[in-house]
Amino acid sequence: MIQCKGVHKWFKDLHVLNDINLQVTKGEVLVVCGPSGSGKSTLIRTINKLEPINEGTIIVDGMDLADRKTDINKLRAEVGFVFQQFNLYPHLSVMNNITLAPRKIRKTPRREAEEQAMQLLARVGLAEKHAAYPSQLSGGQQQRVAIARALAMNPRIMLFDEPTSALDPEMIGEVLSVMQDLARSGMTMMVVTHEMGFAREVANRVIFMDAGTILEEAPPAQFFRTPQHDRARQFLNQLLTPMHGASTTAAA
Amino acid sequence: MLSYHFDWSIILSGTYFDWLVSGLKVTLWLSASGILLSFLLGLCVAVMRMSHIAPVRWVAQLFLEVTRNTPLLVQIFFWYFGSYKLLPTDLNDWLNNHNFEFVAALAALTIYTSAFIAEDIRSGVLSIPKEQLEAARSAGFSYLRSMQYIILPQAVRITIPPLVNQFLNLAKNSSLAMTIGVMELTYQARQVESYTFKGFEAFTAATVVYLALSVVITFLVDQYNNRVLKLHKAS
Ligand SMILES: Nc1ncnc2c1ncn2[C@@H]1O[C@H](COP(=O)(O)OP(=O)(O)OP(=O)(O)O)[C@@H](O)[C@H]1O
Ligand SMILES: [Mg+2]
């Protein structure tokens, strides 16, 4: 479903993505982790062309992002994106946040879109919040609405960029459990996260990035038990310090 | 001056009152349609000004420079005396039979005010976090649709105070339309004055009406704003 070949990207002189090769097949969950500034956000944002690349090929759901014939808006409609900061539309109610894209892009009739939104809200445990505005919700609730909003387009792929790192620890679990359900339902997912509990439970493979390159790629069990590189070992040790301990266990 | 006799009755009833009322109607029409059209044009120019297509941006910028840096009166004269040279004959004929002065004044007021509105809206858009555009784009909205549904509604909301100012300016500036013979409020007050020599009364009446008009516009926008804000609470 996602294929990156020889992807390079520079911000001015900074080589943010250095020869990235990866593949995510249908129904697979890929977790991307790595230290701050290693290029994780940049990488996941290239998958729906929020960031253009300088070199290489990215093919998503059979469409080549560099191909002029690829309708990028159509592709983005098939790929859900969940942001670290939720980015709900503050001027719209929860209901309208979810139904806007289906109604305007897919031309779904309002009633049908609203019925589907209610089902999605029930699925993320927020059915009673359909009339609320984003500013009236907690961070965890906003992020669950953001997931419902992405799902409303019936995407074939879901991308998550650190969906829980802006959340208070007690809210991380509710978001992770929604994502876990989603993975169980067979969704193809690429998730940038430091929630190692989630990675262990849900991921098919883990990618460890450092300074713009993929240093390691392995099934979670192997990655956590026997990391190959010092950088990865250091990174994992840091995550296990008490400061991060609370959040890494939240997925259990 | 001491021998001047105030006579309010003359403008508060009869023919001269009717003149002032008909003038007020024209002023209201001119202001209301000017506000609506300049707002829409201002939105378009603001979006063009921020386009990623350079020539579109240049066109908008040229428009802004020209309209903001020339006197409104000159623009009114331009549309009234100059524009028919550019328009096809059929359209000219039609316009001449349909209150051309009004159309020329409306065009000038709309275009002039839209430039200021566009700049206000643009600064509103610039204050919306860029993540909003990213969220919209990643949902599959085109740039223009993102603007339409997500960015502009938020930008306009925070731009309301300066917009009210532009609307008030437009209503007040509509009095310049008298120079090309639009029979609006100031024109009619002038008429009353020259027929009755009751200039103080006539222009006091006009002053009070303009004041009332400003109060009404401010009130209406406030009402709208409050309703919207109540709906969308905080943020
Ligand atoms: N728009 C930009 N312009 C210039 N440099 C950028 C831009 N975006 C990111 N960078 C730089 O690129 C590098 C990679 O950034 P990126 O956000 O992808 O890292 P990350 O792995 O997601 O980090 P974090 O864990 O902090 O989110 C960083 O050094 C960052 O400063
Ligand atoms: Mg990041």
Side-chain angles (χ1 to χ4, degrees), chain B residues 92-108:
Chain B
N92 267 326
D93 290 346
W94 187 86
L95 282 171
N96 281 326
N97 295 328
H98 288 84
N99 206 347
F100 180 50
E101 309 84 62
F102 184 89
V103 175
L106 180 59

Side-chain angles (χ1 to χ4, degrees), chain A residues 6 16-17 40 66 73 75 82 103 124 148 153 155 159 182 207 220 228 235-236 243:
Chain A
V16 240
L17 296 180
K40 308 179 298 293
N73 292 326
L75 182 129
V82 175
R103 275 167 40 215
V124 301
M153 292 295 277
L159 307 175
L182 192 57
I207 276 181
Q228 302 296 304
F235 174 79
L236 286 173
M243 208 183 85

